[in-house]
Each structure stands twice: as C-alpha cells, then as structure tokens.
Amino acid sequence: MKKLSQKAVVGFLKAFSHLPFWAIYILSDFFYLIIYHVIGYRKKVVYTNLGNAFPEKNEKEIEQIAKNYYHHLCDLSLESIKLHHISYKELDKRLTFTGFDKINEYFKQGKSIILWGMHYNNWEWNSSIQRHIHHQLVMIFNPVRNNQEMEKFILGMRERFGGTSIPVHHSARTAMQFNRNERPGMLWLAADQTPFQTSQYWTTFLNQETPFFRGPDKIAHKTNQPIFFIYFQKTGRGKYHSDLIELFSEPAKEDPETIMMTYIEVVERIIKNKPDYWLWSHRRWKHKRSDDVSLTERMDVTEYLPKEFKNL
C-alpha cells in the first residue's frame, strides 16, 4: 500500500509538470497563502534562523524577508517539478549561463573540475548545465529515505540532460576516478546544508556556530582539480542567470582550510546580499557543538575572493 501511494504521488507530479508556467504561478500564489498564513509551515524554524542570522534587523524587516522567502519557496517547489517536462527552448529562455570559456579550456587540457554550489534560488535547474559543457557532470545527492519512487523521480528529473547522480558517500571516490578517466568530469556539490552530526569542523557562519562537511576542499587539494563556484541569481519570476566563477586554479597549492573558508565567505556574502532566496526552512542549526570539538575562527580570505564577490 505504501509503495502504491508513493507511485500515485509521483504520477501526480509527472502530470503536474505539464502545466504551463502561468498556471504554476497561480497555484504558487495560492499555496503561499496556505503554507504561510494557514499552516504556518516551519514558521518557528524560519523566524528563528532569520533572527539569529540578522540580529541587526528589526521585526518588520525579518517578517518581510520571511514572507519573501515563503513566496520563493512555493515558486521553487513548483518550478522544480516543472523541470521534469520543460522543453529545452523554454528552459533556455528562463535560464542563461556565463563562464564556460575557462571551463572549456580545462576540458581541452584534460582536467576535471569541482563545481561548488549552494541551496540558493532554483538550484535544481542547474542540472541542465550538462547541455552546455563537454565535461561529464556528476551531481552529488543525499538519498531519499524510505521512498524509492520519489528518489527515482528526482534523479530522473536531474539526469534528463545527461548528467549522472552519485550518493554523497561516494563523492571522494568518484572525484578520484574522474581524475584518471579519459573524459574529464565536473563534480557538482553543495556544502551549505547540515552535515552529519559527527562533523568535527565548526566555525561561525551567519552569527552562529555552524558545522560544515569538509569533503570538497580536501578532494580539491588532493586531486588539484580547479574549483569553480556557480553563482545563481534570480532575474525575474521563473528566470535565472548562472555565472561559473573560478575560485582556485591550483588548489593543491592552498591549505584546505583556506579553500573551505573561502567557500563559506562566498556563501555568506551571497546570503547577506539577498537573503530571500536561501533555504531558511531547513534546520541548519539543529546540531550543537560538543565540548570536545573546537570552534575554528573565521579567517580573512578577502585576497582569495573573485571580484564578483568582493563587492557583495
């Protein structure tokens, strides 16, 4: 019975993905009223996260960010479902890219690269990047618990453009393999969400003690694969622009902690610049640092920041 209900939900989502955008946004506005004003979905989490992240803002400012976030969350959820059926022509009108020149140069040199991202704006649409690059896109994901049908739907949606999905616990092995393969790979992952509770790397992020997953910086340092950051900006409702910006051309020459701190600095600046589009309903700070784990002090990494982020 459980599997049948899961299949029914996935079938509904597939049918929903055929709706035109004008209908999707009418539904999104309706869902906002229900989720924010009626159900109050994770309101306590959102307001607590925002209040702790922006202690300098007053209640009215926090409330406005929260409302903007819930509007965005509804759009994000329905736009992500739409990715299952959106045509290439429609997608190209709504999502543009820059920054491929340097990435293509690395492909000609036979170099794999690491693409760092974050859960910001509609990150799911970036899976279509495979259509524009020569590298083999490898997307890291956390498996969906106890729902294989939903996982198949999500992975199928992401992989329809030619990319490959790899569970997070295989990311290091995959990076090493692509470092030796004939076809260079692009390992795309995000490290801005909650890691395992046993994480030993804690620092201050958005005014709070925060754990981070230390895998990506160590992988880059060991393989010397150039690191890029995908800066995803909203240009209108259902319209986005992605800029692929190089952070480190030779990460083996840098200390892994410097790499990690640079990523954290970039993510924090993006969020502070336009906070509406980050995933505030996620329980990012549900874990508390134990006494036997040290808190790493934030370092000044301004000199490592590309110009696109220095002015944020």
Side-chain angles (χ1 to χ4, degrees), residues 229-274:
F229 187 91
I230 186 163
Y231 184 23
F232 200 30
Q233 301 176 76
K234 194 167 191 173
T235 58
R237 195 172 194 183
K239 294 183 178 181
Y240 303 93
H241 176 73
S242 284
D243 192 8
L244 283 72
I245 301 169
E246 188 172 36
L247 295 182
F248 296 96
S249 60
E250 294 184 280
K253 293 183 178 180
E254 307 295 341
D255 180 66
E257 190 165 316
T258 300
I259 297 172
M260 190 71 218
M261 284 289 180
T262 301
Y263 171 78
I264 294 171
E265 181 71 24
V266 167
V267 170
E268 188 175 74
R269 289 188 179 215
I270 290 172
I271 293 171
K272 286 183 175 180
N273 184 51
K274 291 186 178 179

Side-chain angles (χ1 to χ4, degrees), residues 51-66:
N52 291 337
F54 302 107
E56 74 281 3
K57 296 186 182 297
N58 59 43
E59 290 185 7
K60 188 174 182 180
E61 290 173 315
I62 293 295
E63 182 180 30
Q64 187 58 59
I65 295 173

Side-chain angles (χ1 to χ4, degrees), residues 99-107 109 135 228 244 246:
F100 290 135
D101 290 346
K102 188 168 287 189
I103 285 176
N104 288 333
E105 281 299 314
Y106 280 128
F107 180 82
Q109 297 171 26
H135 288 81
F228 284 75
L244 283 72
E246 188 172 36

Side-chain angles (χ1 to χ4, degrees), residues 138 140 166-167 170-179 187 225:
V138 180
I140 305 303
I166 301 293
H170 289 161
S171 56
R173 186 189 312 166
T174 300
M176 300 300 179
Q177 289 174 345
F178 271 104
N179 206 37
L187 187 68
Q225 294 173 1

